Amino acid sequence: MNKFSCEVCGYEYDPAVGDAEGGIAPGTAFEDIPDDWVCPLCGQGKDQFTKIDD
């Protein structure tokens, strides 16, 4: 699964870790996160994230 980075603050969403505070379980692909999820650091929406190339 791919990691994604917030273009605003640089937060990296790692599917292996998830986002416990945001209710996203480890192993959840970025594409499977609900559309209303926001960056835990800056509050931006999923549309502000880009895939990190391996």
Side-chain angles (χ1 to χ4, degrees):
M1 286 187 276
N2 295 311
K3 293 180 182 180
F4 283 75
S5 178
C6 178
E7 295 177 359
V8 176
C9 71
Y11 169 81
E12 290 186 9
Y13 174 75
D14 183 349
V17 177
D19 174 23
E21 291 182 18
I24 308 300
T28 303
F30 187 80
E31 295 82 3
D32 295 333
I33 296 173
D35 289 336
D36 61 352
W37 178 82
V38 296
C39 177
L41 295 183
C42 70
Q44 295 296 310
K46 282 180 66 177
D47 61 334
Q48 295 299 312
F49 279 73
T50 55
K51 185 172 96 169
I52 298 172
D53 293 326
D54 293 336

